[in-house]
Amino acid sequence: MASEEFDIVLFGASGFTGKHCVIQLAEVCKENPGLKWAVAGRNEEKLRNVVDWAERKTGVNLKQVGYVSADVSDVASLDAMCRRGKLLLNLVGPYRFYGVPVVEACIRNKCHHIDISGEIQFLEKLQLDYHETAKKAGVYIVEACGFDSIPSDLGVLFVKKQFPGILNSVEGYQASHHGPEGTTLNFGTLNSAVHVVANRNEIKEIRERFHYAPLPECKPKLKPRGPLFYSDICGGWCIPLNSTDASVVNRSQRYLYETKKERPVQYRQSYTRRSFLSLMSFIFVMINIGILSIFRCGRKLLSKYPKMFTFGVFSHEGPTEAQMATTSFTFTFRGRGFSSKSVEKSGKEDMAIITQKWHTSQLRLA
């Protein structure tokens, strides 16, 4: 059984995302001074440097923060780490390479686990292979708690809660905004995405192993969008976004149907930019990344020279503090459905809702 030594252990605290999570935990400590937490990783000196940096940034006294030595290649160190905490925040990716040993250690030592993975194969295979084991151990394994896929998943649930009738479908529109210094994305995000694309053929095989019972047919069907379209809802040009978000939303909808008999909601997501030329630039970069991801030599080039081969979109250094302060993402959701059961039977939607736009800063969802 996990000990009472730490309420939270932050594994991977010295990484780009990890150090910003340390800041967030420091802020949480202001309202929860009794919270016991630790940072974990391979190099204690780097961990101490991150905590000192967070202390200077927040003004919060972090002398009580613990330090745990752990390495994903050392199972004994993972077990020792998980025995010391109630909850592990796992930020060590790509998860397809480093995630499973950590999850297994959490289950063995009855420590709850949260990740921020957006790697669709890892997420679905983890549920397939470890759901029953974790359930028997009384351990929660909570996935995709970062930019993938909290805004989309909770956004759909929010629309469902606000919709005055019977919700049939939701379309999500994701947009990014940045200041005069532009924006850069962290290499870790690119590294994970590259391997998702390179191993895209695994997804079908994984889903076949679930042997899902069919969900009730929802009519009318949510019609697919064209490869490029303009939307008045968000006031911009859009492309369909085949990301992890839709997978996570669909899994949530299946769970709600199977456990609570709630009517499943259809979901599709698009990426949007106000400028047509800006969207074309985005498409060009994504196509380039997709092509390079298919080949081993291409993946090596992206890994070694991300800034060059993504035209500045990704870098090893990640965004600067100034860029993060002026970068945000907006999510707009349009829900459609029926005003009553009788209208639902006719299959003709007669109600629609557009939710308030949701702004999330890159700093908080790096």
Side-chain angles (χ1 to χ4, degrees):
M1 188 69 185
S3 77
E4 301 294 318
E5 185 176 0
F6 300 116
D7 298 306
I8 299 172
V9 176
L10 178 58
F11 185 38
S14 60
F16 175 82
T17 303
K19 69 179 185 179
H20 290 291
C21 284
V22 171
I23 284 185
Q24 297 305 310
L25 276 174
E27 296 288 351
V28 169
C29 285
K30 290 182 180 179
E31 299 179 4
N32 301 273
L35 185 70
K36 297 177 293 183
W37 60 287
V39 291
R42 292 178 298 178
N43 189 313
E44 185 170 327
E45 182 181 357
K46 288 184 178 180
L47 294 174
R48 291 188 179 277
N49 289 338
V50 167
V51 172
D52 290 344
W53 171 77
E55 191 172 48
R56 293 192 301 271
K57 293 281 288 184
T58 62
V60 179
N61 187 335
L62 299 179
K63 298 295 186 276
Q64 82 287 358
V65 174
Y67 297 88
V68 178
S69 178
D71 189 327
V72 291
S73 64
D74 183 348
V75 174
S77 74
L78 295 180
D79 283 334
M81 173 179 65
C82 293
R83 283 195 296 268
R84 298 179 69 181
K86 300 176 185 176
L87 170 67
L88 184 77
L89 302 182
N90 181 13
L91 307 179
V92 180
Y95 291 91
R96 83 175 282 116
F97 300 123
Y98 308 123
V100 169
V102 181
V103 170
E104 290 178 338
C106 283
I107 294 174
R108 280 195 302 271
N109 297 282
K110 300 189 185 303
C111 175
H112 303 303
H113 175 282
I114 290 178
D115 66 51
I116 58 168
S117 176
E119 302 166 38
I120 188 169
Q121 297 97 324
F122 171 79
L123 296 173
E124 297 197 14
K125 194 171 188 298
L126 198 68
Q127 178 185 350
L128 185 67
D129 293 343
Y130 292 95
H131 171 70
E132 290 300 328
T133 307
K135 187 176 179 180
K136 288 177 183 177
V139 173
Y140 287 102
I141 307 297
V142 187
E143 304 176 320
C145 291
F147 193 78
D148 295 319
S149 297
I150 284 179
S152 299
D153 203 21
L154 293 188
V156 171
L157 296 178
F158 178 76
V159 174
K160 192 172 185 178
K161 185 176 181 180
Q162 299 300 315
F163 199 75
I166 302 166
L167 185 64
N168 180 54
S169 64
V170 175
E171 291 181 292
Y173 296 88
Q174 173 189 330
S176 58
H177 317 275
H178 56 81
E181 295 194 28
T183 188
T184 305
L185 299 178
N186 179 38
F187 170 73
T189 301
L190 173 65
N191 198 21
S192 295
V194 162
H195 292 287
V196 168
V197 175
N199 298 278
R200 62 199 180 282
N201 294 332
E202 294 177 348
I203 298 173
K204 182 179 179 181
E205 179 186 347
I206 292 169
R207 289 177 177 171
E208 286 176 348
R209 289 176 56 199
F210 274 104
H211 302 296
Y212 280 135
L215 292 173
E217 188 176 9
C218 296
K219 293 183 178 180
K221 292 277 190 184
L222 184 57
K223 294 180 181 179
R225 293 285 189 173
L228 178 66
F229 63 97
Y230 184 85
S231 173
D232 291 327
I233 296 172
C234 53
W237 290 92
C238 310
I239 56 171
L241 193 61
N242 187 22
S243 68
T244 304
D245 292 345
S247 166
V248 172
V249 170
N250 291 336
R251 288 164 65 200
S252 294
Q253 292 303 308
R254 175 175 284 278
Y255 172 81
L256 292 172
Y257 171 74
E258 292 179 344
T259 60
K260 299 183 178 182
K261 299 303 176 185
E262 292 187 13
R263 187 187 196 278
V265 176
Q266 304 172 78
Y267 181 71
R268 285 204 179 91
Q269 187 162 309
S270 300
Y271 180 73
T272 177
R273 287 191 175 179
R274 290 188 178 276
S275 164
F276 180 80
L277 290 178
S278 176
L279 185 61
M280 289 297 101
S281 298
F282 173 79
I283 293 172
F284 175 76
V285 172
M286 293 302 106
I287 289 175
N288 186 63
I289 292 173
I291 293 173
L292 290 174
S293 298
I294 296 172
F295 306 101
R296 182 178 298 178
C297 62
R299 294 194 292 273
K300 287 183 178 179
L301 290 173
L302 285 170
S303 178
K304 194 170 184 179
Y305 309 106
K307 196 168 186 178
M308 178 186 298
F309 287 97
T310 66
F311 306 96
V313 175
F314 293 91
S315 75
H316 286 296
E317 300 78 20
T320 65
E321 294 289 329
Q323 286 176 328
M324 286 191 289
T326 57
T327 298
S328 64
F329 300 88
T330 303
F331 288 80
T332 305
F333 300 95
R334 179 173 68 178
R336 289 174 170 171
F338 317 100
S339 58
S340 65
K341 284 284 186 181
S342 59
V343 177
E344 181 186 17
K345 289 179 181 179
S346 72
K348 295 180 180 180
E349 295 167 329
D350 65 340
M351 298 186 70
I353 185 174
I354 298 176
T355 67
Q356 183 179 2
K357 294 182 179 180
W358 184 343
H359 295 269
T360 57
S361 72
Q362 190 180 61
L363 178 61
R364 295 186 178 274
L365 287 172

